[in-house]
Amino acid sequence: MLRLPTFQLHEPASLKEACALFAEHGAAAKILAGGTDLLPNLKHEIYDVDHVISLAKLPGITGFEMQGHDLVIGALTPLAQVATNPNIQKHAPALAQAASLVAGPQHRQMGTLGGNVMLDTRCQWINQSYFWREALGFCLKKDGTVCHVVEGGKKCVAAASNDTAPALMTLGASLTFVSATGTREIPIEDLWVADGINNKSARPGEILTEIRLPLRDHTHHGAYGKLRERGSIDFPLLGCAVRIDLDDADCVRDAAVSLVALQARPLLIKGVDALLQGLKLGSTELDQAIEAVAQLAHKKCKPLDNIPGDKDYRRRMVPVYVRRTLRAALDGTGPVHHI
Amino acid sequence: MRLLELEINGDRLHVAAPPHWTLLEVLRYELGLTGTKQGCDKGDCGACTVLVDGKPQLSCLMLGSAAQGHAITTIEGLLPAHRAQGGAGADPVQDAFDRCGALQCGFCQPGMMLSAKALLSENPTPTSTDIKHALSGNLCRCTGYTQILEAALLAATKTEEVL
Ligand SMILES: Cc1cc2nc3c(=O)[nH]c(=O)nc-3n(C[C@H](O)[C@H](O)[C@H](O)COP(=O)(O)OP(=O)(O)OC[C@H]3O[C@@H](n4cnc5c(N)ncnc54)[C@H](O)[C@@H]3O)c2cc1C
Ligand code: SF4
Ligand code: FES
Ligand code: FES
């Protein structure tokens, strides 16, 4: 039996009220969306919070809306809806596929896209009960002074483990945060910080309200690949999202590859577009360039013993998943998943 | 303490519970509805699955307060609902699990059956793959799943008969 610690529960009926509460309680408060990450972490006593601010009663931050050249998704939209929405499947296949592979069916009904973006980092030494952590000796992320992953390490390297993060990065998503002092829109690339204790630049008091994607046409190809032990429930041992946009002559106009479940931040691999640009669909040159991208990702990605799964195995899987996911995007056969 | 107004298995109930209690705790320790099982208590196993407006969700990761305004179905609700619709005997899903011997210790069963029920309500003629996907958030440490799959398929054929 894992009990939640006691806290004061707030259920504001407007965004303004929610922002005021968050501003008032700051670091002593946590936002509750679907609760599928927050509740286990609270039960494990990973946070010291006295206040929980539920977004459940807020109107208007759920659902999908076309705004000009953008597709806007409310932060409270359940992942099950993101996975099955025809517009997301058409304009952002990597996102639909990533959402379809988060956790298990019940989590996708409860868990929200905003909560997935804001997911806390994961590490096999922290996502444990207080009793377990106390017995082993606490670590930097909570209550301790050492890191069990990097000996002598002074920085927490717990892994960003949110499946939708790399998909949103390849799609050039931007995020809208609202707080008591105003509204801020940032490219998702600017959200991440290389610190496992808190891997996000969102300021205390800021609530994520919207995820905005530029609409893409028929020349857009995307896919998501996920390595995990079982076919369901498990967090990624490696997640890989890709985007390939073609021009009218079926040559690569632009491309991006992003990976998650490595270190504290999801990684957008730099230089992918330069390797693929201008190459024609079906050509040997494109095949060779895909292999070069896979090798580039292998060079850049260095998994650690932060999450389950041997780190050398996970590293060897990097080029395999990058290659397969790029091909799946071009063939329209994603997601890449063993089941 | 908070006074919660809940709709459980069609009944409107008023129940007082501390704000940090999960729906699972409210069901088991305030309402005595112990059919909903407390397994891992952290979202890993699916034993605590209930239907929220017909969709399977985990009651160990939902605050009691969050259940307000939604129709909650627990395993205790299947038989009365079946009978209220004029059905005889057990609910087709429960009956199929019984006939197929789709259990050993039985701990995963309430969650399994509710996930199966939700699938059949949405898709009365599922394939084996559909069933595997729909039940993939419910772990069973005993049966090896074969009879569970058979039971869900049997329940699907019976649901068709009923329709
Ligand atoms: C067994 C299990 C398996 C899982 N497997 C996966 C997996 O494979 N892949 C994966 O990506 N995730 C997985 N998860 C985690 C989780 O289910 C999802 O990431 C889900 O999308 C989280 O969304 P939520 O709405 O439930 O977030 P919550 O738990 O409500 O919130 C998560 C965090 O974000 C903050 N937050 C939420 N919404 C906002 C907002 N709008 N503004 C500001 N802050 C906010 C919260 O304060 C909290 O810190 C798993 C969880 C469990 C229990
Ligand atoms: S990476 Fe190190 S400091 Fe961070 S959670 Fe894991 S063990 Fe703790
Ligand atoms: S008890 Fe809720 S998922 Fe295990
Ligand atoms: S019958 Fe024992 S867990 Fe499924």
Side-chain angles (χ1 to χ4, degrees):
Chain A
M1 199 190 265
L2 278 169
R3 306 306 298 267
L4 282 166
T6 53
F7 49 74
Q8 204 177 327
L9 175 64
H10 305 272
E11 295 172 300
S14 72
L15 187 57
K16 201 170 162 216
E17 203 188 321
C19 290
L21 280 163
F22 207 4
E24 183 186 342
H25 300 296
K30 279 277 179 193
I31 294 292
L32 170 67
T36 58
D37 179 47
L38 185 70
L39 262 58
N41 288 349
L42 283 172
K43 288 181 176 194
H44 286 159
E45 298 178 57
I46 293 173
Y47 308 129
D48 295 318
V49 293
D50 301 321
H51 301 268
V52 168
I53 304 168
S54 163
L55 302 184
K57 296 211 163 89
L58 295 196
I61 59 172
T62 302
F64 309 87
E65 201 185 325
M66 296 285 191
Q67 286 181 9
H69 294 291
D70 291 342
L71 178 56
V72 181
I73 312 171
L76 278 193
T77 309
L79 291 167
Q81 289 182 25
V82 175
T84 51
N85 181 278
N87 276 327
I88 304 286
Q89 289 176 339
K90 183 169 152 206
H91 295 289
L95 176 62
Q97 291 168 22
S100 80
L101 293 179
V102 170
Q106 296 97 319
H107 307 90
R108 293 192 293 273
Q109 290 294 341
M110 307 171 77
T112 64
L113 182 60
N116 196 252
V117 170
M118 300 302 284
L119 183 81
D120 202 352
T121 55
R122 311 243 342 143
C123 172
Q124 53 190 333
W125 313 110
I126 194 78
N127 298 114
Q128 304 285 356
S129 66
Y130 186 88
F131 175 80
W132 192 101
R133 291 187 293 118
E134 186 181 36
L136 177 80
F138 295 114
C139 72
L140 288 169
K141 186 158 161 88
K142 182 72 170 65
D143 300 324
T145 52
V146 296
C147 174
H148 302 304
V149 173
V150 180
E151 215 184 311
K154 291 278 169 278
K155 208 166 189 185
C156 170
V157 291
S161 301
N162 29 4
D163 283 300
T164 67
L168 291 169
M169 284 167 79
T170 58
L171 289 160
S174 60
L175 308 173
T176 306
F177 286 94
V178 177
S179 69
T181 53
T183 300
R184 195 164 70 103
E185 188 172 329
I186 59 165
I188 191 167
E189 176 67 6
D190 293 350
L191 179 67
W192 314 112
V193 179
D195 180 358
I197 293 179
N198 176 5
N199 72 339
K200 295 167 204 78
S201 65
R203 301 171 193 143
E206 285 189 325
I207 298 175
L208 175 62
T209 56
E210 282 178 0
I211 296 102
R212 183 176 288 268
L213 305 173
L215 276 182
R216 300 185 183 269
D217 61 14
H218 64 281
T219 60
H220 167 70
H221 298 262
Y224 185 67
K226 176 166 178 170
L227 175 69
R228 58 179 5 177
E229 252 165 74
R230 300 171 296 185
S232 183
I233 307 176
D234 291 336
F235 278 92
L237 296 180
L238 182 70
C240 169
V242 313
R243 169 171 66 80
I244 306 183
D245 295 330
L246 303 177
D247 62 17
D248 289 336
D250 269 353
C251 293
V252 178
R253 183 160 42 87
D254 194 14
V257 171
S258 176
L259 294 105
V260 79
L262 300 162
Q263 303 191 14
R265 36 173 309 155
L267 191 67
L268 193 64
I269 306 286
K270 297 217 163 59
V272 169
D273 43 356
L275 284 170
L276 297 177
Q277 254 160 17
L279 301 177
K280 192 163 174 70
L281 194 62
S283 67
T284 334
E285 289 77 11
L286 183 57
D287 288 347
Q288 286 165 350
I290 285 175
E291 194 47 42
V293 171
Q295 293 314 323
L296 174 68
H298 183 248
K299 209 167 119 199
K300 297 265 174 85
C301 295
K302 300 193 176 70
L304 299 168
D305 279 325
N306 44 10
I307 55 174
D310 178 76
K311 67 179 191 310
D312 297 330
Y313 166 70
R314 281 161 44 222
R315 182 149 193 238
R316 279 175 181 235
M317 285 297 117
V318 168
V320 175
Y321 271 72
V322 168
R323 188 189 303 124
R324 287 184 188 168
T325 312
L326 281 165
R327 290 208 182 287
L330 289 171
D331 300 343
T333 54
V336 176
H337 189 233
H338 67 288
I339 291 190
Chain B
M1 294 292 263
R2 281 193 169 208
L3 189 63
L4 305 179
E5 192 181 332
L6 300 176
E7 189 194 323
I8 314 273
N9 300 328
D11 296 331
R12 284 212 164 272
L13 304 170
H14 288 90
V15 48
H20 66 287
W21 274 34
T22 59
L23 174 62
L24 176 63
E25 289 163 337
V26 174
L27 289 171
R28 289 181 63 86
Y29 306 122
E30 282 295 340
L31 298 171
L33 293 172
T34 52
T36 307
K37 298 300 174 216
Q38 192 163 18
C40 64
D41 227 353
K42 58 190 177 77
D44 289 338
C45 73
C48 65
T49 301
V50 297
L51 302 186
V52 179
D53 299 328
K55 306 273 189 205
Q57 300 199 9
L58 301 173
S59 60
C60 73
L61 297 187
M62 180 187 283
L63 293 180
S65 180
Q68 295 184 106
H70 300 284
I72 307 295
T73 307
T74 70
I75 194 67
E76 289 91 347
L78 289 194
L79 182 70
H82 174 64
R83 295 277 172 88
Q85 285 163 15
D91 175 273
V93 173
Q94 289 174 308
D95 187 49
F97 273 68
D98 180 20
R99 280 171 200 273
C100 294
L103 79 160
Q104 284 180 31
C105 79
F107 200 79
C108 66
Q109 295 303 296
M112 278 296 176
M113 290 193 276
L114 287 169
S115 287
K117 187 79 195 166
L119 169 70
L120 295 178
S121 306
E122 225 168 72
N123 174 7
T125 54
T127 61
S128 302
T129 309
D130 295 334
I131 295 171
K132 285 181 189 166
H133 276 286
L135 300 186
S136 69
N138 295 83
L139 297 183
C140 175
R141 61 185 183 170
C142 306
T143 62
Y145 299 99
T146 308
Q147 285 101 325
I148 292 175
L149 183 62
E150 285 168 9
L153 281 167
L154 177 65
T157 54
K158 291 180 100 189
T159 305
E160 258 183 316
E161 272 168 33
V162 172
L163 287 174

